[in-house]
Amino acid sequence: MPVRSDKYFKLLAEKYPSAQSVCREIINLNAIINLPKGTEHFMSDIHGEYEAFCHILNNCSGVIREKVKLLFGDVMSADECREICTLIYYPREKLDMLKKEMTLTDDWYRMTLNHLIEVAKLLSSKYTRSKVRRALPKDFEYIIDELLHVQKDEDDNQVLYHKNILDTIIAIDNADEFVVALAELIKRLAVDHLHIVGDIFDRGANADKILDLLMEYHSLDIEWGNHDILWMGAAAGNEACIANVLRNNLRHGNTEILESGYGISLRELALFAEKTYQGLDPMMAAEKAISVMLLKLEGAILLRHPEYEMEDRLLWGKMDLEAGCVVVDGKCFELTDTDFPTWDSERPYELSPEEKQVVEELKTAFLNSSRLQRHIRFLYERGSMYRIFNGNLLYHGCIPLDASGNFDRVVLDGESYQGRMYLDYADAMARKAYYHRDADAIDFMWFLWSGRKSPLCGRNIRTFEKMFIGDESIWHEESNPYYQFYKEERTCNMILREFGLYSEESHIINGHTPVRTMEGEQPVRAGGKLLVIDGGFCKDYHKKTGIAGYTLVYSSHGIQIKAHHPFESVYKALRENKDIDSDNQIIYTARSRILVKETDTGKEIQEDIEDLKLLMRRYREVSD
């Protein structure tokens, strides 16, 4: 326990000016730490799949359905239970639909409000009344608090009071807003804290809408993924990151997020590409133009930073266009394309004047997109390279290891880094790039995106080879040895100890690599110490993973993982009460219910209790 100064106790005494106020707070805090811990949800690799992600947030990864079934499964049909669930997920949309069908009556409102209150009561039962009050919608704070704590008495006065409140709400045509308020409260109580373990951006089309949702979420943290760091680098002005962002979104047909979502015009790029690469489809020409600029910009970074040890990536300057080949590792490979009007054999990594103008226009657009900058600031405020939370270690990519399975050493700025120290350095550099616009730190953002020893990348990317060499034997991207050794419990324990976690109940929670369940892979590895939760939210991965995303749920009862089936549409959810089906797998069951005192927050509260006891002792010494 830290040593407290007299000044600290003086400030504490201002908050608790009497022995009785200290007693009251000790009693309150002791009650809190003996409540069950709140439920945490972990999700990763969302990749712009807005509708599916939004639905899983709304159904709280199936928790709402479980609670409705628990309360009403014996007295309602399955269809009636699904109807209540859909109303909780999409209250405004469902009410609008039911109004058009003329099915809303006073009796329907009365019955539905009672059902929603019962669900809210069940979910609020493990929280203090003060915490529930803080979660209540302000417009209905007093009313909902009263309804959640109605007790049956001898003359049924409380029950009649409850009924009169609901009748009044219905009579004054305020029932719709009350339904919405209860639905939002239920969803907030179902998940105490949300962890996003990386990769909100790219592949899917609507990462911007996902970030809008997350910015309104009541309690969350984010562990940056490689695709997030790419956009963060672009927002800091890294030109190679900007080129990668454009190339990714052109390849996946997602230019809407750039132009409509963030107001980044592709007009200059399109005009340059059409003029330079005549005969190609406009989209293909734009992709080729930005790919060429990308190889030049990446090469310039590598020439500035030999410490990245990635000289083998400098293939753009080693082409022989007359012979139509490039030498890789001493072997000549035929190029699939030799039409590069802006290639200069003397200065291969220098942009042409026209390319410079295009890049400058794009850079200005990224730096001045207010919505993008707002989203990126949110990623910095709520995000980090890794997080230790309630005894678990969360990170997106990897902890780089060497061929023997030990922490690999990376030499940067003349210093050697490995393990936790390396991730701390990377976190500091990412912040230095955005907040201080430090040139080396901005270059490092590209290294974090695709560097061989980047903790977010974890493989040797073959950009040039896949673009311009037809021989697929050279396309293989070797993974960091981490992905070989992380299946071993010994390795995971080594990593956990490096981050100060020694409990048998600690886990690594990892994203980044899709779990290919179709090929027999499982998310639980290393004897249960490692949980890989990239289940393939992205539609492109559904055939590989066999599922459509995971949610890891850590409640007071233990840990389970939910494998989600593909989401069809919001329309079907509303019209047919179609939910996302999920398969549950129990990972760990607690020997006894996990209490707040066993969490990070609980440990802080226990320190507060000890401080209050010392203050109490001082009060009593004075009175004696």
Side-chain angles (χ1 to χ4, degrees), residues 150-153 155-164:
V150 166
Q151 301 293 327
K152 189 173 177 63
D153 59 18
D155 298 319
D156 282 344
N157 291 321
Q158 287 277 301
V159 173
L160 288 171
Y161 175 57
H162 175 170
K163 182 178 181 301
N164 286 333

Side-chain angles (χ1 to χ4, degrees), residues 47-268:
H47 283 304
E49 294 292 346
Y50 172 74
E51 278 207 346
F53 177 71
C54 182
H55 187 82
I56 288 171
L57 277 192
N58 282 332
N59 80 354
C60 302
S61 300
V63 170
I64 302 296
R65 186 170 64 243
E66 291 170 3
K67 300 304 182 186
V68 168
K69 185 177 179 181
L70 177 65
L71 283 170
F72 308 120
D74 293 335
V75 294
M76 287 185 185
S77 68
D79 285 344
E80 289 171 327
C81 286
R82 283 194 290 269
E83 184 87 2
I84 293 174
C85 289
T86 305
L87 182 64
I88 294 170
Y89 305 160
Y90 304 101
R92 292 193 187 279
E93 296 87 345
K94 189 68 175 177
L95 286 168
D96 287 344
M97 189 192 79
L98 293 173
K99 277 182 183 176
K100 290 173 185 175
E101 295 174 355
M102 307 293 287
T103 58
L104 299 184
T105 65
D106 287 358
D107 285 341
W108 181 90
Y109 278 117
R110 194 172 291 108
M111 178 183 67
T112 299
L113 289 172
N114 275 300
H115 290 153
L116 295 179
I117 289 165
E118 288 304 309
V119 178
K121 277 183 181 178
L122 177 63
L123 288 165
S124 66
S125 61
K126 69 181 199 176
Y127 300 118
T128 63
R129 191 164 178 176
S130 62
K131 181 166 182 172
V132 174
R133 278 200 197 104
R134 288 195 297 272
L136 296 175
K138 295 302 175 189
D139 290 342
F140 296 102
E141 182 178 356
Y142 169 76
I143 297 170
I144 295 176
D145 186 43
E146 289 289 322
L147 293 173
L148 290 180
H149 297 95
V150 166
Q151 301 293 327
K152 189 173 177 63
D153 59 18
E154 184 178 354
D155 298 319
D156 282 344
N157 291 321
Q158 287 277 301
V159 173
L160 288 171
Y161 175 57
H162 175 170
K163 182 178 181 301
N164 286 333
I165 289 174
L166 296 186
D167 285 346
T168 303
I169 289 169
I170 295 165
I172 63 173
D173 292 328
N174 204 212
D176 283 2
E177 292 304 316
F178 200 58
V179 166
V180 172
L182 283 170
E184 296 308 316
L185 174 65
I186 287 166
K187 288 182 280 194
R188 178 162 179 171
L189 294 174
V191 182
D192 191 51
H193 190 83
L194 176 65
H195 307 275
I196 303 295
V197 192
D199 277 1
I200 297 166
F201 281 101
D202 291 335
R203 297 201 175 94
N206 298 120
D208 56 329
K209 294 180 181 178
I210 290 171
L211 281 159
D212 284 339
L213 272 182
L214 293 177
M215 289 177 76
E216 297 297 320
Y217 204 78
H218 61 275
S219 181
L220 87 159
D221 57 66
I222 299 166
E223 289 66 57
W224 301 324
N226 53 317
H227 287 270
D228 304 320
I229 213 78
L230 176 64
W231 280 77
M232 290 160 68
N238 183 300
E239 295 172 353
C241 288
I242 290 170
N244 269 292
V245 164
L246 265 65
R247 181 171 180 266
N248 285 346
N249 284 278
L250 284 164
R251 288 177 66 206
H252 289 93
N254 291 338
T255 56
E256 183 181 346
I257 188 174
L258 293 164
E259 297 184 301
S260 300
Y262 290 129
I264 295 168
S265 172
L266 303 183
R267 184 173 181 274
E268 290 295 324

